[in-house]
Amino acid sequence: MTLKGKVAVVTGGNTGIGKAVVLELAKQGADVVIDYIVGEEAELDLESQLRALGDKVVGVKADVSNVGDLTTLVGTAVSRFGRLDIMVNNAGIETRTSVLDTTEEQYNKVLDINLKSAFFGTQLAAKQMIAQGGGGRIINMTSVHEDWPMPGNTAYCLSKGGMRMLTRTAGVELAPHNILVVGVGPGAVNTPINSATVADPKLLTKLDAAIPIGRLAQPEEIASLVAFLAGDGASYIAATTIFADGGIMQSSPGL
Ligand code: BGC
């Protein structure tokens, strides 16, 4: 229970990597606030899993691309649990559309949910952490694609590239307050975002073959890194991204 007494907000906390993060932080003793615009049912399911762990979780109906709703999320951490120690800007979507076929609506949605929410999540969390004193941790869920093109997923790559720079710049600005901003960069993970690939045996074989470890990650393998970064053992990591990608970025067919 290395996070006992800590309070966390996890955006996109009711599905995929976010859900695993919520469960891991709660297992480590943290109290957690999540948003649940994606599906109230998923959130209720998560809430019962968390209750079984004997911990406290609060679900707030919030659209993380709206700064007012993000303010409510952070405010709920403070009103229910008294403080905020860990902000996980995790919510993310992708459209799998290229530079030629991405619409304005798709572009805005991806950038708002992925990047705008991380920016204002960082700002609001940092203000609260500075007001309460003692520092904190802000963890941005980026991707190998923060710095590695994924053709046919352009807006997503743009948003993750923005999160890379947010992590570095806010990380430098906030480190003097002992607020450590760190990115987590997963490769391919077995979550709903990859369900089309996982459902197609040919695509899945191709993807697995590109990963030196030979398989997709399970969400829990990313959540354990987030819990580490939220804890005392990660007291000297700031303004950078830690990758958990099974080696995918270094792999080469050797041709
Ligand atoms: C994307 C996935 C992709 C994976 C590896 C992730 O960030 O969301 O669609 O499979 O990176 O390329």
Side-chain angles (χ1 to χ4, degrees):
M1 296 276 259
T2 53
L3 299 176
K4 189 101 195 113
K6 304 273 187 203
V7 179
V9 168
V10 181
T11 67
N14 61 354
T15 178
I17 294 173
K19 180 175 173 178
V21 168
V22 172
L23 289 168
E24 185 58 32
L25 296 184
K27 208 166 87 186
Q28 299 292 332
D31 295 314
V32 190
V33 177
I34 64 170
D35 59 294
Y36 63 86
I37 197 172
V38 176
E40 214 159 317
E41 253 170 53
E43 192 269 340
L44 291 175
D45 172 49
L46 179 63
E47 198 163 330
S48 62
Q49 287 185 51
L50 282 158
R51 287 247 164 76
L53 287 168
D55 282 294
K56 289 167 280 176
V57 65
V58 173
V60 178
K61 199 164 186 69
D63 170 358
V64 296
S65 64
N66 177 298
V67 180
D69 283 11
L70 275 175
T71 308
T72 306
L73 270 183
V74 170
T76 303
V78 178
S79 62
R80 285 293 294 266
F81 301 121
R83 53 188 297 111
L84 176 66
D85 304 285
I86 305 157
M87 179 78 192
V88 186
N89 293 309
N90 165 80
I93 58 164
E94 63 184 30
T95 52
R96 298 267 177 129
T97 52
S98 74
V99 69
L100 293 179
D101 56 21
T102 299
T103 65
E104 181 181 1
E105 197 190 349
Q106 287 173 319
Y107 176 95
N108 284 339
K109 198 163 178 202
V110 171
L111 270 290
D112 282 358
I113 292 179
N114 299 9
L115 183 57
K116 182 184 171 192
S117 79
F119 179 85
F120 286 101
T122 297
Q123 182 186 80
L124 292 163
K127 283 185 176 170
Q128 173 57 33
M129 288 165 183
I130 290 168
Q132 71 197 19
R137 302 288 164 85
I138 298 175
I139 298 165
N140 292 325
M141 193 58 64
T142 76
S143 163
V144 289
H145 300 298
E146 69 166 38
D147 198 29
W148 194 45
M150 182 172 179
N153 209 5
T154 320
Y156 178 78
C157 291
L158 237 76
S159 72
K160 296 299 176 179
M163 288 179 79
R164 175 183 197 278
M165 213 40 169
L166 168 66
T167 301
R168 280 149 184 75
T169 311
V172 170
E173 288 180 357
L174 298 173
H177 299 280
N178 196 27
I179 298 170
L180 306 184
V181 186
V182 184
V184 167
V189 187
N190 189 8
T191 67
I193 217 169
N194 274 313
S195 55
T197 309
V198 173
D200 180 332
K202 268 200 193 139
L203 271 182
L204 185 59
T205 306
K206 205 171 148 195
L207 180 59
D208 285 347
I211 304 169
I213 284 184
R215 60 173 177 82
L216 276 81
Q218 292 305 320
E220 294 72 23
E221 295 178 283
I222 309 302
S224 56
L225 174 56
V226 174
F228 169 72
L229 292 172
D232 291 344
S235 53
Y236 205 66
I237 305 176
T240 192
T241 301
I242 310 294
F243 291 99
D245 71 344
I248 193 172
M249 276 192 299
Q250 317 304 327
S251 80
S252 142
L255 298 172

